[in-house]
Amino acid sequence: MGVWFFVMCSLICILLHPSVSFSETSPEIELANAKVIVDLDNQVTAVTMEIKNATSGTDLTSLKNKLKAKQEALDLAVKAAYALPTNEGVKQAKKLAESATVIEDLNKTLVDPNVPEAAKDVIRNARMLAEDRAKELTKDTNESQRLKDLADKRFAGFGFGVALGVTVKAGKRQIVNSATVDPNGLVRIDRDNNTTANFILESHYFFTPDIHIPIFNVEPKNWGTGPFIAVQPGTENIIQAVGAGWMIGFKRSSIIASDLARDRGDSFNLGFGIMLNPNAQVLGDGIEKDKPLPGAETAIRLKKTTELGWLFTFSYSF
């Protein structure tokens, strides 16, 4: 019952998580954004070629600083316009810009008095096709952004995951599965339970800092960190152990809408904390490992007690 209560609470938190509001960008704004991005990309390419073809007297430091500034401007423009990495965003922008150029050229042709009226009918049809193509590209971009925003929202805040947890005892007492008395009358632990690996259920709350992690090239909002709680189901007991700690999670890479896939905000998470086991079995009072039984006792006594352990988790949340 305790496990199901934990699961239901986690699911309720997820379902009550605020929904994402997203307003679509108009085709005109999308085309304008695309032209800016293509222009910035051309500037980056031009400066890159300057550096590549630089002679011995060229100020390379100045050119490299210029390239860095242009690249940062391009990255920011793509980030503001699309839910895509810079390279993919530039490709999308070029497609939109090409459509805009075709439409502009067709419009110029339509107002040219030297073009026969019969030819203008064909040009109008071509313009209609080009406008439809631009709308489709804009629709794909908006859908990609919507899915990205939805994934970001689902990743942040409350989440639920299934984890592989490793618990290492934190106290001095041995956690015992079985023990015997050897022929010399000494207590021997046949099997301990000091380190265990189990499947656990976890629920977490992620804050998503607007910070880039350069080591793994993780973009802001694609990682989060926050507290978590964990429950380990048992065989003899419904709840074998409970724990809490701190977790860091990395969201799966966003998938563009044209791939017909949904980015649900799934993530891989690493956690560290403390596990409380109220059902730990240890040697009874007065009985010590590798020592004779106390007094006239002939059998080993075991008892259930509460023990703490260090908890390491690797979970997948969805």
Side-chain angles (χ1 to χ4, degrees):
M1 180 176 178
V3 174
W4 288 112
F5 176 76
F6 168 79
V7 172
M8 290 303 298
C9 288
S10 300
L11 291 176
I12 290 171
C13 289
I14 295 170
L15 292 173
L16 292 179
H17 203 241
S19 59
V20 179
S21 59
F22 175 76
S23 57
E24 293 190 354
T25 306
S26 67
E28 293 78 12
I29 295 177
E30 283 289 352
L31 292 174
N33 290 340
K35 290 180 180 179
V36 171
I37 291 171
V38 171
D39 181 58
L40 286 171
D41 182 62
N42 290 336
Q43 293 179 38
V44 169
T45 302
V47 178
T48 302
M49 292 303 297
E50 282 187 61
I51 294 174
K52 184 178 180 180
N53 299 325
T55 59
S56 57
T58 305
D59 185 358
L60 285 177
T61 302
S62 177
L63 283 177
K64 288 180 180 178
N65 290 336
K66 183 179 179 181
L67 176 61
K68 182 180 178 182
K70 297 290 185 183
Q71 186 64 55
E72 288 177 351
L74 176 61
D75 293 341
L76 288 173
V78 171
K79 181 180 179 181
Y82 308 124
L84 298 171
T86 299
N87 290 340
E88 294 183 26
V90 169
K91 291 179 183 178
Q92 183 80 352
K94 286 181 177 179
K95 291 178 182 178
L96 285 167
E98 287 171 3
S99 296
T101 301
V102 170
I103 293 171
E104 289 175 359
D105 291 342
L106 291 173
N107 285 333
K108 291 178 182 178
T109 306
L110 285 173
V111 296
D112 188 342
N114 298 319
V115 177
E117 193 61 34
K120 288 184 178 181
D121 290 337
V122 176
I123 294 171
R124 289 189 186 95
N125 291 334
R127 183 183 64 179
M128 187 180 301
L129 291 174
E131 289 174 344
D132 289 343
R133 173 59 178 162
K135 289 178 181 178
E136 285 297 320
L137 288 172
T138 302
K139 182 180 178 181
D140 287 346
T141 302
N142 280 323
E143 177 65 4
S144 180
Q145 183 65 52
R146 186 188 70 81
L147 290 176
K148 176 65 164 58
D149 289 347
L150 181 61
D152 287 346
K153 195 68 175 181
R154 287 178 174 173
F155 174 64
F158 283 104
F160 173 80
V162 178
L164 173 63
V166 176
T167 305
V168 181
K169 77 176 185 72
K172 294 182 178 180
R173 289 189 293 188
Q174 299 282 325
I175 301 176
V176 180
N177 266 0
S178 61
T180 56
V181 178
D182 70 7
N184 297 319
L186 301 179
V187 175
R188 304 296 187 186
I189 295 178
D190 297 326
R191 185 179 177 186
D192 66 41
N193 212 20
N194 296 324
T195 301
T196 61
N198 300 281
F199 283 106
I200 63 175
L201 305 175
E202 61 89 0
S203 184
H204 56 261
Y205 188 96
F206 277 160
F207 304 95
T208 52
D210 193 17
I211 299 174
H212 175 255
I213 302 180
I215 298 177
F216 303 106
N217 195 29
V218 181
E219 296 294 329
K221 305 298 182 182
N222 277 352
W223 70 280
T225 184
F228 76 93
I229 58 174
V231 170
Q232 177 188 326
T235 52
E236 297 180 0
N237 303 285
I238 295 177
I239 296 179
Q240 179 66 30
V242 294
W246 200 263
M247 180 173 282
I248 182 171
F250 300 92
K251 186 165 70 70
R252 286 178 53 194
S253 298
S254 298
I255 305 171
I256 59 175
S258 59
D259 289 336
L260 300 179
R262 291 189 177 275
D263 184 348
R264 302 175 300 177
D266 300 4
S267 66
F268 293 98
N269 318 306
L270 297 172
F272 173 73
I274 293 178
M275 203 72 164
L276 178 68
N277 183 358
N279 303 298
Q281 184 172 260
V282 299
L283 294 174
D285 295 337
I287 300 177
E288 297 182 43
K289 176 185 175 183
D290 299 330
K291 291 186 178 181
L293 289 170
E297 293 188 39
T298 58
I300 295 176
R301 289 178 286 105
L302 300 175
K303 71 173 186 177
K304 293 290 183 73
T305 186
T306 300
E307 288 289 326
L308 289 176
W310 300 113
L311 173 64
F312 304 88
T313 68
F314 175 78
S315 71
Y316 180 76
S317 59
F318 46 88

